[in-house]
């Protein structure tokens, strides 16, 4: 570093420190070399499509103009994060075709849970639980290092496809998982103690984050879980209910209160865990992002923000007790029905009744990336510790 540059950095630094509310976080843009993402279908960029069956159109129609293993018409929040940080879209770790891992890898897989599952893959369970995703990451890191050491002279071409060993400590680790655990807890709300279950889910999450800390991860960007009670497929308007819901069952947006309350309880316990981990690991940066509030704000202001009613589903057929999911065909009441897309997905918050549209993901990403839903209130570009 030249004398002048050194001088400027030195002079500016105390000033930056004094205006930043958060001591010890970087005043400069963090120089993340890579992103490693863990999660479920909210951030799966091709894992399930590569492992099992590819998706069909109209998935992907808006941005990619073909199905690309994402549960949306276009980009996901993780795609907007990657673009915002100047990276190409993240490749799914198990996708073998046309992928590069130079700037990170995505371990997220649709239907993944934090806890281990009792159901097998054939019963609709996921093999890619959070624990397995972390094990895959561990293997990815170890094998990357091995190849790098074997190829010390850089004679082989694969170097350009992997992160450098030193990138792992400087990378940002992003998380969006827990929604499927909450969904399972909702299904069993009458038979199990959901408070104990939710505590257990959060303990499992903490264990895996501890493992990643042990592997040298230092910057964590952790999304809490969204308002699951606002997913349109579960709303009474799309279900033939034989009783009228009682007072207090729904909120003013048509969302199911007790389901959102379970998500809120998970989020509260998750936040306590993040705060606890910060004390245990003072050199790490653990940012808790209130995804619930960001999504709920959009749902509450749907019309004002240019969207149709939040119960609207762009793609799919959900009427009279029938649920035909986006892209599927079936004979219903003697008529062949194709669960097709709407005219203008950008007017809908919900793409397929469960997942958000690209337009909604973009709206949410714009609000979380600048730190307005973060604790501490840091933008993603400033979420690392000062070096
Ligand atoms: C900043 O880091 C120093 C040294 O690790 C520590 O003593 C101090 O408590 C930290 N401040 C905050 C606000 O975390
Ligand atoms: C973040 O961006 C959103 C959307 O542009 C804006 O409403 C909000 O005030 C911004 N927050 C901060 C802390 O800059």
């Amino acid at each position: 570093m030249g004398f002048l540059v050194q001088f400027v950095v030195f002079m500016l630094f105390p000033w930056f420190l004094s205006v930043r509310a958060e001591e010890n976080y970087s005043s400069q843009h963090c120089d993340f070399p890579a992103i490693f993402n863990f999660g479920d279908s909210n951030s799966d960029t091709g894992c399930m499509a590569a492992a099992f069956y590819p998706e069909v159109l109209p998935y992907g129609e808006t941005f990619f103009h073909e199905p690309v293993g994402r549960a949306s018409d276009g980009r996901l929040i993780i795609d907007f994060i990657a673009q915002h940080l100047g990276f190409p879209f993240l490749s799914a770790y198990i996708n073998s075709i046309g992928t590069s891992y130079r700037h990170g890898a995505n371990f997220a897989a649709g239907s993944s849970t934090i806890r281990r599952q009792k159901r097998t893959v054939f019963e609709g369970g996921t093999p890619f639980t959070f624990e397995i995703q972390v094990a895959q990451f561990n293997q990815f890191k170890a094998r990357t290092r091995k190849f790098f050491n074997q190829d010390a002279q850089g004679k082989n071409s694969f170097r350009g496809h992997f992160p450098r060993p030193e990138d792992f400590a400087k990378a940002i680790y992003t998380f969006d998982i827990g929604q499927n655990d909450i969904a399972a807890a909702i299904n069993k709300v009458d038979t199990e103690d959901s408070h104990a279950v939710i505590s257990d889910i959060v303990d499992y999450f903490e264990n895996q984050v501890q493992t990643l800390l042990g592997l040298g991860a230092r910057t964590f960007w952790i999304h809490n879980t969204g308002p699951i009670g606002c997913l349109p497929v579960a709303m009474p308007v799309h279900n033939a209910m034989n009783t009228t819901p009682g007072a207090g069952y729904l909120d003013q947006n048509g969302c199911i209160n007790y389901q959102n309350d379970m998500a809120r309880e998970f989020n509260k316990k998750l936040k306590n865990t993040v705060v606890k981990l910060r004390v245990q690991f003072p050199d790490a940066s653990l940012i808790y992002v209130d995804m619930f509030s960001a999504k709920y704000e959009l749902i509450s202001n749907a019309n004002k923000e240019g969207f149709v009613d939040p119960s609207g589903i762009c793609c799919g057929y959900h009427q009279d007790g029938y649920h035909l999911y986006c892209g599927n065909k079936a004979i219903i009441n003697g008529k062949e029905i194709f669960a097709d897309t709407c005219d203008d997905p950008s007017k809908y918050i919900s793409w397929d009744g469960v997942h958000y549209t690209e337009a909604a993901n973009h709206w949410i990403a714009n609000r979380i990336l600048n730190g307005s839903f973060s604790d501490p209130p840091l933008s993603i570009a400033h979420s690392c510790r000062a070096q």
Side-chain angles (χ1 to χ4, degrees):
M1 207 193 294
F3 170 75
L4 190 64
V5 178
Q6 218 161 35
F7 176 77
V8 170
V9 170
F10 179 72
M11 290 305 287
L12 286 177
F13 196 57
W15 175 80
F16 265 112
L17 268 188
S18 67
V19 296
R20 286 210 66 82
E22 298 304 323
E23 201 190 334
N24 293 346
Y25 289 93
S26 183
S27 56
Q28 315 278 319
H29 266 240
C30 305
D31 195 9
F32 298 124
I35 310 175
F36 296 104
N37 181 66
F38 303 82
D40 53 29
S41 57
N42 287 309
S43 63
D44 181 345
T45 57
C47 172
M48 290 302 268
F52 299 105
Y53 297 101
E55 270 157 352
V56 295
L57 277 170
Y59 280 90
E61 64 170 356
T62 298
F63 183 79
F64 301 97
H65 310 298
E66 58 177 341
V68 285
R70 287 161 172 79
S72 181
D73 59 314
R75 287 165 288 180
L76 307 179
I77 290 167
I78 188 66
D79 294 317
F80 290 111
I81 289 178
Q83 285 189 313
H84 180 82
L85 294 175
F87 295 123
F89 295 131
L90 279 190
S91 292
Y93 164 67
I94 68 157
N95 194 359
S96 52
I97 309 291
T99 48
S100 166
Y101 302 102
R102 178 66 193 86
H103 296 290
N106 190 2
F107 301 89
S111 71
S112 287
T113 47
I114 293 172
R115 291 202 301 176
R116 289 188 190 166
Q117 301 208 335
K118 292 197 184 82
R119 291 186 304 173
T120 69
V121 178
F122 305 102
E123 294 160 340
T126 170
F128 304 114
T129 59
F130 190 28
E131 182 182 353
I132 295 299
Q133 293 180 28
V134 171
Q136 289 178 333
F137 166 78
N138 190 13
Q139 185 171 177
F140 177 85
K141 180 170 181 266
R143 295 182 69 196
T144 300
R145 175 177 291 274
K146 189 173 152 207
F147 278 125
F148 250 80
N149 293 341
Q150 282 171 355
D151 186 28
Q153 274 78 48
K155 287 198 210 95
N156 293 324
S157 59
F158 54 67
R159 272 197 163 208
H161 295 286
F162 298 113
R164 296 161 301 192
E166 66 268 27
D167 290 344
F168 288 89
K170 293 190 202 142
I172 182 165
Y173 291 73
T174 55
F175 304 83
D176 195 313
I177 193 161
Q179 185 171 312
N180 294 315
D181 297 86
I182 302 301
I186 287 169
N187 284 336
K188 295 194 197 133
V189 73
D190 296 327
T191 57
E192 54 179 34
D193 173 3
S194 38
H195 304 298
V197 168
I198 290 170
S199 297
D200 196 47
I201 298 168
V202 174
D203 286 348
Y204 266 78
F205 182 84
E206 180 184 348
N207 278 341
Q208 296 312 317
V209 170
Q210 295 255 17
T211 301
L212 290 168
L213 281 156
L215 291 169
R218 278 299 169 269
T219 304
F220 294 77
W221 179 266
I222 301 168
H223 295 170
N224 70 8
T225 199
I228 191 167
C230 301
L231 299 182
V233 280
M235 290 181 174
V237 291
H238 296 294
N239 291 278
M241 299 189 63
N242 33 26
T243 52
T244 322
Y249 186 75
L250 299 178
D251 69 10
Q252 71 280 9
N253 299 311
C255 306
I256 301 168
N257 271 321
Y258 84 92
Q259 298 189 354
N260 278 347
D261 286 344
M262 287 174 75
R264 287 190 185 99
E265 181 177 341
F266 169 83
N267 289 341
K268 195 169 156 225
K269 289 176 173 168
L270 178 69
K271 188 169 182 184
N272 290 342
T273 294
V274 169
V275 169
K276 197 178 84 185
L277 286 168
R278 279 183 200 146
V279 177
Q280 253 179 298
F281 297 90
D283 65 330
S285 165
L286 293 126
I287 314 290
Y288 172 86
V289 184
D290 190 0
M291 193 57 93
F292 185 107
S293 296
K295 288 178 171 173
Y296 198 74
E297 191 174 307
L298 172 59
I299 287 160
S300 307
N301 298 298
N303 297 152
K304 209 180 101 210
E305 297 295 331
F307 292 89
V308 302
D309 193 82
S311 66
I313 299 175
C314 173
C315 184
Y317 178 92
H318 302 274
Q319 286 172 32
D320 315 320
Y322 290 100
H323 286 286
L324 189 59
Y325 283 87
C326 181
N328 287 293
K329 243 189 242 159
I331 310 261
I332 293 176
N333 295 333
K335 232 174 86 188
E336 184 172 75
I337 307 269
F338 176 62
D340 208 352
T341 181
C342 60
D343 287 338
D344 187 357
S346 74
K347 292 276 179 290
Y348 284 77
I349 292 173
S350 186
W351 162 243
D352 60 5
V354 178
H355 306 101
Y356 289 73
T357 57
E358 163 163 308
N361 285 332
H362 200 176
W363 191 100
I364 297 157
N366 277 342
R367 275 147 191 91
I368 62 164
L369 290 172
N370 67 7
S372 40
F373 288 92
S374 302
D375 174 86
L378 297 165
S379 70
I380 195 164
H382 290 98
S383 59
C384 60
R385 287 276 175 188
Q387 293 300 309

